Amino acid sequence: MDRTQIHLLATSNRTASQRSLLSERINKLVQALSDGVYEREGTIKLCLLAALSGESVFLLGPPGIAKSLIAKRLIQAFDNSHYFEYLMTRFSTPEEVFGPLSIQELKDNGRYVRLTDGYLPTAQVVFLDEIWKAGPAILNTLLTVVNEKTFKNGNDIEPVPMRLLISASNELPDEDSGLEALYDRMLVRVFVNRIQNKQNFRAMLTVGTQQEAVIPEGLAIKDEEYQLWLQELEQLSLTDSMFEKLYQLKSMLEAKENAAGEAGDDMYVSDRRWKKAVKLLKASAYFNGRDDINSLDLLLLQDCLWNSPQSRVVVRECISNFAIQHAYDQTSIQQEVELQQAKMTDFDNEIIKQYAMVLSAETERTLRRKNIYQYALSDAKKYKVATSSDLVKLILLQSNMSVSESDSGDSRWVYVPYKELEQIIRDGGGDAYGFVNKKTTLCRFRLEVDHKQHLVIKDIANRSIPIALATEQGFKQEILNDWHGVAEQMTKELKGISFNLHQSRSDFHSSLPHNFLDKDLPLMIESSLQDLDTLIESVLELSELALSKVVRLNEAFE
């Protein structure tokens, strides 16, 4: 490794280390901002993420649930910043939000210039309560501020330092009110409910909540840091694989929208909001210490893509389904496992088709009309076990839990007397006494004829196991070789699937903890991956049993 490579590696390591420290810092900042604000940590997380990506937030919920407190806490995330708060009414005027007109400027120069100091155009964090009650003059100006982060003051265009706009209401804008454009620009949308947990409710009543959080030294974000972070997070990429997942999620939502017909109109998501959402996802990746958006970041869209309480339910359901089915390729992995299961079933059926004892039946001409079964035993190979002779060997063609209570483990074959087997075949079932595998302990077996007219033996779980008769012809080696190859290939493919699942689990675990996502969805993903792991292990065990069975068939037919 030359000096240039060493330098690049060291730079990369420093960057990764810095990103990790930044992620830890943001997590501590969230904890400090949330301290004492009961059941609002998730909302504060999302509001901070919106601020870090320069996006706006809409809080929907009844009055008196600490919406303004959330905004006041958020201003403390930024060092030396200004906060503006206003409760909108239908009588609110632009002067109350954007600042009064300068009488002096109007007198001296005849210019309409507002004195904006201390008002919205000079604030970093803005909270506008009951926003939909504001008049058109305020809302139209606000739309420009949100869009362009500028404010037209007289003939001048002034930059607006606003990092976060939190708007709130207990209702949504009326249809055809002309407010759709402003509502569409409020990317993060959170339903804030009353305190639900009994202990949290008690603490709120008895301990109370401080308006201001205690922010430890060094956590508050400086202006130069904020500007640098905005530039750097824009460099993060949406990889091709992650774009495919995002598009898959988009398709799932649009399928729900189309299925709902006219009722699906409130599920419409504009291209503009998708684009703004990607910026939020980049911020999530950046402040979690990563270079790329990953699947967990996509789950944040559950708070970006709804328009109404009804569509919120549908969106969250879609995101949950995406999380447990597609976020880490769970469905595709399961389909691959199911394909191998189908191959295994076909493999078992082929062995049974080739060697199972299929009896023929004739109906006896009596009043009882009893079936008389037949099977050619003339080619049966004869065996001797201990002092018993004239025995025939029946090979079990499927895995089992043993065919005798006095034996344990997978039974491979049994020996029964030739004459007893003849009678059992004729009667269509019955009990036989004989030996299991290479043991000399006498056991009792139950044999029956199944619906396919296969002669079967019952294992201790009362499952029917097809059997084959060992003959003088033995086992065809070329068939054994073919089956051995099929069984080996199935095991190999399952191990490949298991490796892919291991990679998915590794990707998932390396993304934790996530600074902005609640625990519910990651727990659901963990459970889905664990279920897949259990499924693969069980199917892999069956494939290895199938391989072992093929290897043992040659011995069984000796």
Side-chain angles (χ1 to χ4, degrees):
M1 184 179 293
D2 61 27
R3 291 183 179 180
T4 303
Q5 290 174 313
I6 293 172
H7 173 73
L8 288 173
L9 181 60
T11 303
S12 174
N13 288 337
R14 282 199 305 272
T15 302
S17 175
Q18 290 168 355
R19 290 274 179 89
S20 179
L21 289 173
L22 177 57
S23 174
E24 185 179 350
R25 176 182 169 186
I26 295 299
N27 187 43
K28 289 179 178 178
L29 182 56
V30 168
Q31 291 175 5
L33 294 171
S34 306
D35 186 43
V37 186
Y38 306 104
E39 298 182 20
R40 300 290 180 262
E41 183 178 356
T43 302
I44 289 174
K45 285 179 182 179
L46 289 170
C47 288
L48 181 60
L49 179 60
L52 292 171
S53 58
E55 295 298 339
S56 302
V57 176
F58 174 66
L59 304 181
L60 176 64
I65 53 172
K67 295 193 289 288
S68 62
L69 176 61
I70 291 169
K72 288 173 182 176
R73 287 289 182 102
L74 262 295
I75 190 61
Q76 295 180 260
F78 300 97
D79 194 31
N80 296 323
S81 294
H82 299 291
Y83 173 73
F84 178 78
E85 176 181 343
Y86 191 76
L87 173 62
M88 296 291 190
T89 71
R90 59 195 180 96
F91 303 109
S92 298
T93 64
E95 285 74 20
E96 294 168 310
V97 178
F98 304 109
L101 288 171
S102 171
I103 304 300
Q104 192 65 43
E105 186 69 22
L106 185 60
K107 276 183 176 183
D108 295 345
N109 302 311
R111 296 175 64 223
Y112 285 90
V113 176
R114 294 191 182 278
L115 301 175
T116 57
D117 192 30
Y119 291 87
L120 185 149
T122 60
Q124 277 82 14
V125 175
V126 175
F127 176 62
L128 299 178
D129 202 2
E130 298 300 339
I131 186 169
W132 310 125
K133 290 188 168 84
I138 294 175
L139 294 175
N140 288 338
T141 303
L142 186 60
L143 181 60
T144 303
V145 171
V146 172
N147 262 351
E148 303 172 13
K149 295 292 176 65
T150 61
F151 175 69
K152 190 173 188 304
N153 196 1
N155 295 325
D156 299 326
I157 304 295
E158 298 176 357
V160 174
M162 185 171 67
R163 294 167 185 173
L164 175 64
L165 166 64
I166 300 179
S167 58
S169 179
N170 59 4
E171 59 187 2
L172 296 172
D174 293 332
E175 289 185 21
D176 304 320
S177 61
L179 299 173
E180 294 86 355
L182 180 59
Y183 184 47
D184 193 52
R185 284 161 176 79
M186 294 173 186
L187 177 64
V188 177
R189 298 168 177 180
V190 185
F191 175 71
V192 186
N193 203 354
R194 293 170 293 186
I195 292 174
Q196 302 295 304
N197 181 271
K198 180 179 179 181
Q199 294 305 318
N200 289 338
F201 183 66
R202 180 184 180 89
M204 185 271 294
L205 294 177
T206 56
V207 179
T209 302
Q210 296 294 325
Q211 290 291 311
E212 293 189 358
V214 178
I215 307 298
E217 185 71 26
L219 290 187
I221 301 166
K222 296 178 175 59
D223 185 63
E224 58 271 19
E225 288 180 315
Y226 180 77
Q227 298 302 329
L228 175 64
W229 295 345
L230 280 180
Q231 293 175 21
E232 289 186 347
L233 71 86
E234 281 292 350
Q235 305 306 313
L236 270 63
S237 61
L238 177 66
T239 61
D240 290 345
S241 62
M242 207 48 54
F243 167 76
E244 292 299 331
K245 289 188 186 298
L246 179 65
Y247 192 79
Q248 186 174 32
L249 176 57
K250 178 176 181 287
S251 299
M252 289 172 67
L253 287 167
E254 289 177 351
K256 290 280 188 181
E257 179 185 350
N258 294 333
E262 291 184 6
D265 290 347
D266 67 349
M267 289 186 59
Y268 172 75
V269 181
S270 68
D271 291 344
R272 173 176 54 236
R273 278 187 44 221
W274 279 110
K275 188 168 184 177
K276 289 164 77 69
V278 169
K279 186 178 178 183
L280 187 84
L281 301 181
K282 287 183 178 181
S284 174
Y286 182 84
F287 293 105
N288 273 295
R290 288 182 269 104
D291 293 324
D292 299 307
I293 295 168
N294 72 10
S295 292
L296 287 187
D297 298 321
L298 298 184
L299 306 185
L300 292 169
L301 296 177
Q302 68 178 355
D303 293 303
C304 298
L305 303 180
W306 60 270
N307 297 310
S308 67
Q310 294 77 18
S311 67
R312 178 176 180 269
V313 172
V314 176
V315 168
R316 293 180 83 85
E317 180 186 338
C318 266
I319 295 288
S320 294
N321 290 339
F322 174 81
I324 62 177
Q325 294 175 5
H326 306 293
Y328 289 89
D329 303 320
Q330 296 99 313
T331 295
S332 62
I333 290 173
Q334 182 170 344
Q335 288 172 345
E336 290 175 6
V337 176
E338 289 171 351
L339 177 62
Q340 295 306 315
Q341 282 181 304
K343 287 183 180 179
M344 219 169 298
T345 300
D346 292 342
F347 180 71
D348 265 352
N349 290 339
E350 181 62 29
I351 291 176
I352 292 168
K353 179 181 177 182
Q354 189 82 18
Y355 285 100
M357 296 176 67
V358 182
L359 310 186
S360 58
E362 292 183 1
T363 304
E364 189 177 49
R365 294 182 179 179
T366 64
L367 291 176
R368 297 176 60 190
R369 300 186 65 82
K370 180 182 176 183
N371 283 339
I372 303 297
Y373 292 93
Q374 295 179 348
Y375 187 83
L377 296 176
S378 57
D379 196 32
K381 189 175 181 180
K382 301 294 180 63
Y383 295 84
K384 180 179 179 181
V385 177
T387 58
S388 300
S389 59
D390 201 32
L391 304 175
V392 293
K393 188 177 188 181
L394 302 176
I395 297 104
L396 280 70
L397 298 177
Q398 288 180 334
S399 298
N400 57 85
M401 296 178 64
S402 179
V403 293
S404 172
E405 294 284 357
S406 61
D407 189 47
S408 61
D410 196 9
S411 300
R412 303 182 188 182
W413 59 77
V414 299
Y415 299 99
V416 297
Y418 181 91
K419 291 295 184 183
E420 282 189 34
L421 181 60
E422 266 190 329
Q423 188 61 45
I424 288 169
I425 289 173
R426 178 179 175 82
D427 294 342
D431 292 339
Y433 289 86
F435 308 95
V436 181
N437 298 338
K438 297 180 179 180
K439 297 180 180 179
T440 57
T441 304
L442 193 64
C443 302
R444 186 178 70 174
F445 314 118
R446 179 66 187 173
L447 288 89
E448 294 179 358
V449 178
D450 70 6
H451 66 286
K452 294 182 179 180
Q453 296 198 173
H454 290 155
L455 186 63
V456 298
I457 189 168
K458 293 287 188 173
D459 71 0
I460 58 175
N462 201 38
R463 293 182 300 187
S464 299
I465 311 299
I467 53 180
L469 178 69
T471 64
E472 294 292 347
Q473 296 176 358
F475 194 88
K476 293 181 180 179
Q477 190 62 42
E478 61 272 19
I479 295 177
L480 174 68
N481 293 340
D482 289 344
W483 285 351
H484 190 274
V486 170
E488 276 191 328
Q489 184 62 29
M490 286 191 298
T491 301
K492 180 181 178 181
E493 290 178 5
L494 277 166
K495 287 180 177 178
I497 297 169
S498 180
F499 176 81
N500 292 339
L501 176 61
H502 175 78
Q503 187 61 52
S504 290
R505 294 190 74 175
S506 177
D507 292 343
F508 169 64
H509 289 136
S510 66
S511 301
L512 297 174
H514 196 285
N515 283 338
F516 308 104
L517 195 64
D518 288 336
K519 295 178 182 178
D520 291 348
L521 287 173
L523 285 174
M524 290 168 60
I525 292 173
E526 176 65 50
S527 178
S528 70
L529 293 173
Q530 181 60 50
D531 289 346
L532 274 178
D533 190 50
T534 302
L535 175 63
I536 290 175
E537 285 299 318
S538 65
V539 178
L540 188 56
E541 184 178 338
L542 290 176
S543 77
E544 289 171 347
L545 283 173
L547 181 60
S548 176
K549 178 170 64 177
V550 172
V551 172
R552 289 173 355 203
L553 277 174
N554 197 35
E555 177 189 4
F557 275 90
E558 288 179 350

